Amino acid sequence: MAFPHLQQPSFLLELQTIFPWLVESIFGSLDGVLVGWNLRCLQGRVSPVEYSIAMEFLDPGGPMMKLVYKLQAEDYKFDFPVSYLPGPVKASIQERVLPDSPLYHNKVQFPPPGGLGLNLALSPFEYYLFFFALSLITQKPLPGALHIRTSDCAYFILVDRYLSWFLPTEGNVLPLLSSSPGAPSPSPAPRTPAMPFASYGLHHTSLLKRHISHQTSVNADPASHEIWRSETLLQVFVEMWLHHYSLEMYQKMQSPHAKEPFMPTEEHVLVVRLLLKHLHAFSHSLKAEQLSPSAHSHAASPLEEFKRAAVPRFVQQKLYLFLQHCFGHWPLDASFRAVLEMWLSYLQPWRYAPEKQAQSSDYQARCVSERWAPFVQENLLMYTKLFVGFLSRALRTDLVSPKNALMVFRVAKVFAQPNLAEMIQKGEQLFLEPELVIPHRQHRLLAAPPFTSSFLSSWPPAVTDNSFKVKSHVYGLEGQDCKYTPMFGPEVRTLVLRLAQLITQAKQTAKCLSDQCGESAAARPFLSWLGFCPTDTNGSYAANDLDELGQDSVRKTDEYLEKALEYLCQMFRLSEAQLAQLTLALGTTQDENGKKQLPDCIVGEDGLILTPLGRYQIINGLRKFDIEYQGDAELQPIRSYEIASLVRLLFRLSSAINCRFAGQMAALCSRADFLGSFCRYHLTEPGLADRHLLSPVQRGRTASHAQGPRLSLRFLGSYRTLLSLLLAFFVASLFCIGPLPCTLLLVLGYLLYAVAMTLLTERGKLHHL
């Protein structure tokens, strides 16, 4: 009691000892063996008590963060293995090259003699955020959590809270948090003196030293201390979630033999989208007077400068490579919707800006303000290059699927917003204009500014030349030798025309599938359910999700595709005459009966040969061959609606009867009277003489395999036939009719039906003659 101040050092030493264990217990181990609290699967509606405790403890103003700040004030350091960092960062450090982010400056520790590997000396706040961010990647969700909504999980909600707290949209300072009631606020994170790392891309071993010591702050201005948490949080999230690809790795990945370095999950993409939405709200929360050129002077607060530089400085390049990889390697299925929405969220910062101007009309409400022209121009590749990437994906997907049709509609709707296409076109003009020899441009590098330990100390003054800014953006993301394909040039226009043609085809296919489903349901006779009519044993049907979703799905698909086509025509100024001409040229017209034509093919020596267009039509379900079984009906594979053992037994019985009475059956079928017609109706396969083979290769073999009249009892092996017979016996028992009289009545009824069908069949043959 007399010396409470002497107890604090030992108390802090205990906190320092248990801190790494506590962080690993919460977020799991870096190798994924320890799951920790499994925040990615923790939901309030499933485990309300555990959820409430975890959220309260890990809240940005909660006990865990107070512990972090207490340790931060004492300048403790914790080792973090370099081997668990994203691939490009790990490779750069292992090659003794300083990574391009100030997050790693003066933190790398070389292993002592006999040591295991490189480590980073991180502050408590950095160490906590490293584990928190990496748990999204290292911790695999449990098998039972596959159907959990990401937005309902504790991890997703914590990310949202951290971003709202550390990237505020109102005010010029962050919320201050004291380590204990009545105690002074913790001191800011140690910062290193300004040092220009102009040669960070070279092998410079002097930049990586094991010496870690307490450094004084760059600025004496207390306001600069207020943003260190925001700066650290943003850098950690971007590095851990987005920095999995470098420009060199991206260029190597264009090879078809390249190995997949890292593939994000759908949950990963959803969290990144949340980050982008917060960043837009944070970066564009500057007031009108802060947006003026004079606001870039020394009077601007550090937080205001950070808001201007956050996206172009830390996010843009890594996000571009991340999206490029997803567009090129994500599976061609509906899960791509997550990547698509993340991309569209980045392209529309006006949706998340806190201050929205009042609009006087619906058109103005949808029109993109000229205020956003600099953002569009300085993110030109995000719009144009990725739009071309989406076109290449859309041309390889089944647009008849409502989910794929919705994705095409979403992209077309976003890009068709009034004034956006004009802004993109203006940005392309600025990039393609010839470079003039101007003295102040001669010594500039078209690349990102040099990185230092604090971005505020070396961020260059704003460049007012719009053309130069666009060129800097393109060359910085793609390299000096990039080949730019204009979004409104002839090459992309050709792709858009192809997409428009496929949209038209997909609409026709959806309508045909809908008509076929309706016709097949209406044409199924009632007697077929009783087993008296021959069933379709070919088992062919139109395989598409429209069969499962019904007519409402057809309507949605048609609406999405219709609006997407309308938006594309607005963007690229396509006329109806152009669409009609292209549609006719590519053979999308229907035949005179209103049915789909065969896939595009040519006639070769061995029959029909598919062209590349025909293969594309089959893959995307636009056209198909009418495939039907043309072999021996008795030798078809056993169907799911048949009893396998009974079908085999009936086949042996039929074969024995046909072998024993083959001569008699042939003689009966050759008669010209009614008895011959009756036998031919039952003992010959219907339509066998009229059947045509689609493959000419088999024509020579058909004659040798022609068979005479025979009896087929396979229909008795069907569940439906047996169920119908049992139902008939059950109904007969209700009327006090025994099994034997019921059997006689069934036989008599069938004989009358067979006589009628025989007469109708013979009359039809005479009519054709």
Side-chain angles (χ1 to χ4, degrees), residues 31-194:
D31 56 9
V33 176
L34 299 179
V35 180
W37 290 5
N38 197 21
L39 297 174
R40 291 167 57 187
C41 301
L42 184 61
Q43 291 182 291
R45 60 182 179 85
V46 177
S47 306
V49 177
E50 293 84 350
Y51 175 85
S52 177
I53 293 174
M55 296 301 292
E56 183 179 353
F57 184 73
L58 299 177
D59 189 82
M64 187 64 187
M65 198 59 70
K66 291 180 180 179
L67 170 62
V68 170
Y69 289 153
K70 181 180 286 291
L71 296 174
Q72 184 83 16
E74 299 299 324
D75 197 22
Y76 287 122
K77 300 294 181 182
F78 299 92
D79 289 340
F80 186 91
V82 170
S83 59
Y84 291 106
L85 294 175
V89 178
K90 177 174 63 177
S92 178
I93 293 178
Q94 290 174 346
E95 294 175 3
R96 303 294 194 269
V97 180
L98 188 66
D100 60 358
S101 173
L103 183 66
Y104 308 104
H105 293 177
N106 295 334
K107 293 184 176 67
V108 180
Q109 290 184 320
F110 291 108
L116 297 179
L118 294 169
N119 291 312
L120 297 180
L122 302 179
S123 68
F125 188 69
E126 293 168 336
Y127 188 83
Y128 176 82
L129 289 181
F130 268 58
F131 267 84
F132 176 77
L134 276 176
S135 64
L136 177 65
I137 300 171
T138 59
Q139 299 300 314
K140 304 302 180 184
L142 299 177
L146 296 177
H147 303 290
I148 294 178
R149 287 183 57 186
T150 300
S151 58
D152 295 336
C153 297
Y155 186 87
F156 189 88
I157 297 174
L158 276 175
V159 171
D160 184 65
R161 290 187 183 181
Y162 286 170
L163 291 172
S164 300
W165 181 280
F166 294 107
L167 301 178
T169 57
E170 297 180 0
N172 293 326
V173 296
L174 299 178
L176 295 178
L177 183 65
S178 298
S179 57
S180 61
S185 300
S187 60
R191 304 178 71 89
T192 55

Side-chain angles (χ1 to χ4, degrees), residues 640-716:
S640 59
Y641 54 80
E642 294 177 324
I643 304 174
S645 57
L646 186 57
V647 168
R648 295 188 181 97
L649 180 62
L650 291 171
F651 175 73
R652 295 191 186 97
L653 178 60
S654 301
S655 300
I657 295 174
N658 292 331
C659 182
R660 175 68 178 82
F661 301 101
Q664 291 86 333
M665 288 190 293
L668 287 172
C669 291
S670 63
R671 295 173 59 126
D673 54 5
F674 175 79
L675 181 59
S677 300
F678 188 84
C679 293
R680 284 193 296 271
Y681 178 77
H682 289 87
L683 299 179
T684 58
E685 189 175 352
L688 183 61
D690 299 330
R691 178 175 297 178
H692 63 281
L693 291 177
L694 298 179
S695 175
V697 178
Q698 301 291 333
R699 289 174 183 169
R701 307 175 188 175
T702 306
S704 60
H705 292 284
Q707 299 183 3
R710 55 180 177 166
L711 177 67
S712 176
L713 300 176
R714 181 165 177 164
F715 72 97
L716 294 174

